[in-house]
């Protein structure tokens, strides 16, 4: 029972990172109509930024601002590229997949060639923090608490924006029917750029929470996480924001349980096996495709 | 200086989809308060023409003037906010949103007198009032058409472009919709209506353009065209 609770906590913390990633990914899919495979890589670059600034200053606010800014800038920089390969009807979604894989690859290579000799970077204990709660096997680390709380707050704010503001209504309108959105006079390009901004902010927060949770980052972390993000999005149903919440958390929990109950590093195999079974049974995803 | 009394003027407009020339050198004019029909067979280019007025299809050649302003290459959101609205063919609605939310989106360019506008729309389409919290996708075809019209009117346009509102609807509802269009026109809205139902279109409108394979084949007062033997032969099913 103690193992179960301990793994549940660590699974929820990891899951909330997946939730943030898949939410940003889905927003890109719905509003900008692109497959932003490079999104987790942007998050990793933002983690590297935090690591680097952390060495210069202990000021947490500066570190957070730096991480979030880099994520926003990278997200916004990718917008003109994706718009360039778009056709008049909207972005060709397959072309955007290839382009974003290319962008991810470039970022990965830059990190593996020129930062910290290509070795993974470790965050200082001051940033990561130790356990703040312990009872037998059950522990809660500072990173876990922040990941969970931060994830919940970010998601709440995001859904508030989506359902209670004009911009959010524009997002939903474009997601649902681009032509009708055009007809009522929604500025499509401007709204799309705004979605890149939101995803940039979300990415920055993910980077901060992720670095606190795992305490390290590596050049290949982005691609690894990108595969999981894509898988979660497909399993939940592409573009299904609510489904992404559930499935992101579930993936975290499944991985943590696999780590807790099976020795050796089988967690990825088990996670992907479960997802394969789900996709075989429900090709449209558990909650239905929304694009 | 010459006084501009047309609300819309289209000069030598051509539209192409790759090698397909959908609209060829079309000239068309709508005066303030006028109800103009655009009739033609399937694929004549009516929808392409209407969509290009709103900037959804880009014009290959020619220009479009709305209230004396060149809007040919303006983005759609600017064109909509200047007072043009298109009710497209088929029922183009936000089907997972509520009826009210659809209307709110229609009004977003003109939020100032939202309540008053909404009341006006509900007067035209009482069914929308009863169904305002229903999910739009669950409305019947006719109700969806009304919603599509109501949403277009929420922005308080000066000129309404209507693309085949009668498509796939029962005769009774078609009559209702034409009555509403006539009523809107009497209130001062200028209307450009694309229709395959030539009889209804000619009866309701002041003037009419006949489109044939991308070109304007004929134009004139609707009362004249309705008696024209060629029109009767081609569009009104003989004598
Ligand atoms: N997106 C598109 N790509 C390629 N060709 C198109 C496109 N849209 C329309 N066309 C072509 O342009 C021509 C005119 O089409 P349009 O839809 O304007 O006709 P229409 O008069 O509205 O016909 P209908 O009464 O059937 O609605 C047709 O030959 C059509 O096949
Ligand atoms: Mg048409």
């Amino acid at each position: 029972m103690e193992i179960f609770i301990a793994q549940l906590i660590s699974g929820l913390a990891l899951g909330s990172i997946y939730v943030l990633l898949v939410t940003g990914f889905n927003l890109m899919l719905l509003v900008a109509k692109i497959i932003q495979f490079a999104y987790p890589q942007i998050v990793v670059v933002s983690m590297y930024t935090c690591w680097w600034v952390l060495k210069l200053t202990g000021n947490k606010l500066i570190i957070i601002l730096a991480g979030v800014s880099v994520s926003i800038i990278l997200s916004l920089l990718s917008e003109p590229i994706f718009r360039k390969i778009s056709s008049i009807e909207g972005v060709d979604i397959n072309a955007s997949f290839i382009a974003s894989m290319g962008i991810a690859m470039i970022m990965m290579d830059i990190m593996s060639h020129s930062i910290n000799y290509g070795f993974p970077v470790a965050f200082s204990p001051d940033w990561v923090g130790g356990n703040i709660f312990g009872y037998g096997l059950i522990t809660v680390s500072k990173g876990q608490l922040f990941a969970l709380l931060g994830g919940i707050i970010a998601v709440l704010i995001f859904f508030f924006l989506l359902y209670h503001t004009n911009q959010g209504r524009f997002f939903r309108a474009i997601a649902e029917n681009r032509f009708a959105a055009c007809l009522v006079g929604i500025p499509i390009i401007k709204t799309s750029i705004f979605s890149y901004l939101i995803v940039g902010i979300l990415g920055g927060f993910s980077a901060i929470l992720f670095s606190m949770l795992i305490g390290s980052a590596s050049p290949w972390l982005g691609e690894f996480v990108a595969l999981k993000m894509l898988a979660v999005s497909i399993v939940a149903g592409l573009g299904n924001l609510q489904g992404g919440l559930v499935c992101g958390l579930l993936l975290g929990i499944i991985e943590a349980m696999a780590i807790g109950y099976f020795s050796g590093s089988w967690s990825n195999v088990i996670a992907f096996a479960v997802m394969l079974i789900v996709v075989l049974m429900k090709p449209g995803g558990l909650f239905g495709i929304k694009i | 200086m010459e006084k501009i009394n047309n609300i819309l003027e289209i000069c030598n407009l051509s539209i192409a989809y790759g090698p397909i020339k959908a609209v060829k050198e079309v000239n068309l004019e709508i005066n303030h308060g006028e109800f103009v029909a655009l009739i033609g067979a399937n694929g004549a280019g009516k929808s392409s023409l209407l969509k290009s007025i709103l900037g959804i299809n880009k014009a290959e050649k020619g220009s479009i003037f709305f209230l004396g302003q060149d809007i040919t290459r303006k983005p759609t959101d600017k064109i909509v906010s200047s007072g043009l609205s298109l009710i497209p063919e088929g029922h183009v609605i936000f089907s997972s949103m509520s009826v009210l939310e659809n209307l709110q989106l229609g009004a977003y360019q003109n939020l100032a007198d939202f309540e008053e506008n909404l009341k006006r729309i509900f007067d035209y389409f009482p069914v929308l009032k009863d169904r305002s919290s229903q999910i739009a996708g669950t409305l019947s075809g006719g109700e969806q058409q009304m919603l599509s019209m109501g949403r277009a009117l929420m922005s308080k346009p000066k000129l309404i472009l209507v693309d085949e509102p009668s498509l796939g609807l029962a005769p009774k509802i078609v009559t209702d919709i034409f009555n509403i269009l006539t009523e809107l026109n009497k209130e001062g809205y200028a209307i450009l209506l694309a229709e395959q139902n030539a009889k209804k279109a000619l009866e309701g409108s002041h003037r009419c353009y006949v489109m044939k394979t991308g070109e304007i084949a004929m134009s004139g007062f609707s009362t004249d065209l309705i008696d024209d033997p060629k029109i009767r032969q081609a569009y009104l099913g003989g004598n």
Side-chain angles (χ1 to χ4, degrees):
Chain A
M1 192 60 200
E2 273 185 35
I3 294 183
F4 181 81
I5 294 174
Q7 292 314 105
L8 187 64
I9 292 167
S10 99
L12 285 171
L14 183 61
S16 71
I17 302 290
Y18 292 150
V19 164
L20 289 181
L21 290 175
V22 80
T23 301
F25 175 78
N26 277 336
L27 186 69
M28 292 275 86
L29 202 54
L30 290 168
V31 180
K33 311 280 182 206
I34 61 160
I35 297 179
Q36 180 48 308
F37 195 70
Y39 178 46
Q41 202 65 257
I42 291 177
V43 170
V44 173
V45 173
S46 172
M47 288 167 82
Y48 268 72
T49 309
C50 292
W51 168 78
W52 185 68
V53 178
L54 188 62
K55 291 204 300 187
L56 302 177
T57 168
N59 188 324
K60 300 245 158 72
L61 189 66
I62 294 177
I63 299 166
I64 291 172
L65 283 179
V68 175
S69 310
V70 164
S71 173
I72 292 174
I73 289 167
L74 286 176
S75 181
L76 287 176
L77 277 180
S78 70
E79 192 272 339
I81 301 173
F82 288 120
R83 204 190 325 162
K84 262 275 173 326
I85 55 175
S86 75
S87 65
I88 295 168
E89 308 295 337
V91 180
D92 176 357
I93 209 133
N94 298 318
S96 74
F97 196 10
I98 304 295
S100 65
M101 276 162 71
I103 293 170
M105 202 72 84
I106 291 167
M107 287 193 281
M108 180 168 89
D109 270 8
I110 290 174
M111 284 184 286
S112 67
H113 283 111
S114 36
I115 301 175
N116 204 29
Y117 312 103
F119 291 118
V121 299
F123 289 83
S124 72
D126 176 43
W127 180 254
V128 180
N131 289 345
I132 51 172
F133 174 81
Y135 177 82
L137 287 175
I138 305 169
T139 57
V140 179
S141 71
K142 188 177 122 195
Q144 287 175 333
L145 185 72
F146 271 76
L148 243 181
L149 288 182
I152 290 171
I153 292 169
V155 165
L156 283 179
I157 293 175
F158 175 78
F159 274 88
F160 179 83
L161 175 97
L162 195 62
Y163 284 95
H164 297 280
T165 67
N166 253 340
Q167 281 297 333
R169 194 177 283 144
F170 294 176
F171 283 165
R172 285 184 293 129
I174 292 176
E176 169 151 2
N177 193 330
R178 200 180 171 84
F179 176 49
C182 239
L183 288 182
V184 299
I186 292 172
I188 305 285
I189 307 266
K190 233 194 268 174
T191 308
S192 166
I193 293 175
F194 192 69
S195 76
Y196 281 86
L197 173 70
I198 296 293
V199 165
I201 296 172
L202 220 48
F205 277 111
S206 312
I208 288 154
L209 300 176
F210 204 17
S211 64
M212 291 176 80
L213 182 67
I214 63 174
S216 66
S218 63
W220 48 90
L221 176 64
E223 188 155 322
F224 192 59
V225 177
L227 289 175
K228 292 188 178 171
M229 170 192 77
L230 186 64
V232 168
S233 179
I234 291 171
V235 166
L238 282 169
N240 194 317
L241 289 162
Q242 285 84 354
L245 299 184
V246 177
C247 292
L249 286 179
L250 276 181
L251 177 63
I253 293 169
I254 291 172
E255 279 184 23
M257 292 300 167
I259 290 171
Y261 290 103
F262 300 91
S263 56
S265 49
W266 289 101
S267 69
N268 290 310
V269 176
I270 292 170
F272 276 97
V274 171
M275 292 196 280
L276 180 65
I277 293 167
V278 173
V279 169
L280 282 175
M281 291 191 311
K282 290 199 100 172
L286 281 175
F287 298 88
I289 294 176
K290 283 285 164 70
I291 55 164
Chain B
M1 230 182 101
E2 197 186 352
K3 189 177 170 298
I4 302 164
N5 57 11
N6 58 41
I7 187 164
L8 186 82
E9 189 176 355
I10 295 176
C11 307
N12 289 318
L13 188 78
S14 299
I15 301 161
Y17 301 103
I20 303 164
K21 303 246 176 290
V23 172
K24 300 166 206 156
E25 312 232 328
V26 161
N27 287 291
L28 186 150
E29 188 186 11
I30 299 171
N31 295 313
H32 284 285
E34 217 176 10
F35 189 154
V36 175
L38 180 65
I39 60 174
N42 283 119
K46 306 180 295 294
S47 301
S48 303
L49 182 60
L50 292 197
K51 280 194 248 172
S52 74
I53 298 173
L54 225 69
I56 291 168
N57 287 344
K58 296 297 167 222
E60 184 189 35
K61 264 193 321 208
S63 21
I64 304 167
F65 295 91
F66 178 60
L67 294 167
Q69 300 272 324
D70 187 350
I71 57 164
T72 321
R73 278 171 182 77
K74 277 200 181 171
T76 302
D77 55 302
K78 294 284 184 322
I79 295 175
V80 171
S81 65
S82 70
L84 261 164
S85 224
L86 168 64
I87 301 165
E89 66 189 322
H91 320 124
V92 180
I93 55 168
F94 300 104
S95 38
S96 76
M97 297 190 193
S98 72
V99 168
L100 186 64
E101 237 180 336
N102 269 270
L103 295 173
Q104 279 168 338
L105 274 167
Y108 111 87
Q109 293 267 20
N110 192 344
L111 280 172
D113 12 70
F114 176 78
E115 290 301 329
E116 183 195 323
N117 249 336
L118 191 65
K119 197 177 158 298
R120 216 166 44 92
I121 302 302
F122 284 161
D123 286 343
Y124 280 121
F125 309 103
V127 63
L128 296 183
K129 187 174 187 175
D130 304 332
R131 304 298 176 89
S132 65
S133 57
Q134 190 172 329
I135 296 300
T138 63
L139 295 172
S140 75
E143 289 161 352
Q144 291 190 8
Q145 181 62 38
M146 311 245 173
L147 178 58
S148 169
M149 294 178 76
R151 190 187 60 210
L153 293 172
M154 285 298 285
S155 64
K156 277 205 159 175
K158 301 183 180 85
L159 170 61
I160 315 168
L161 314 172
V162 196
D163 198 354
E164 297 197 43
S166 65
L167 201 70
L169 299 180
K172 157 90 175 62
I173 298 176
V174 173
T175 307
D176 286 351
I177 284 176
F178 272 86
N179 286 342
I180 289 170
L181 287 176
T182 308
E183 215 176 308
L184 286 168
N185 178 243
K186 286 206 180 104
E187 274 190 30
Y189 288 98
I191 294 177
L192 174 59
L193 166 72
E195 252 306 337
Q196 284 203 48
N197 187 337
K199 183 165 180 292
K200 283 267 184 213
L202 284 167
E203 281 169 1
S205 59
H206 302 128
R207 272 190 315 121
C208 179
Y209 290 84
V210 182
M211 236 182 147
K212 208 169 166 184
T213 56
E215 286 167 301
I216 301 289
M218 223 177 174
S219 67
F221 289 106
S222 301
T223 43
D224 295 343
L225 287 184
I226 221 167
D227 295 325
D228 188 293
K230 269 186 285 176
I231 297 286
R232 296 193 78 88
Q233 187 63 42
Y235 299 99
L236 301 172
N239 37 46

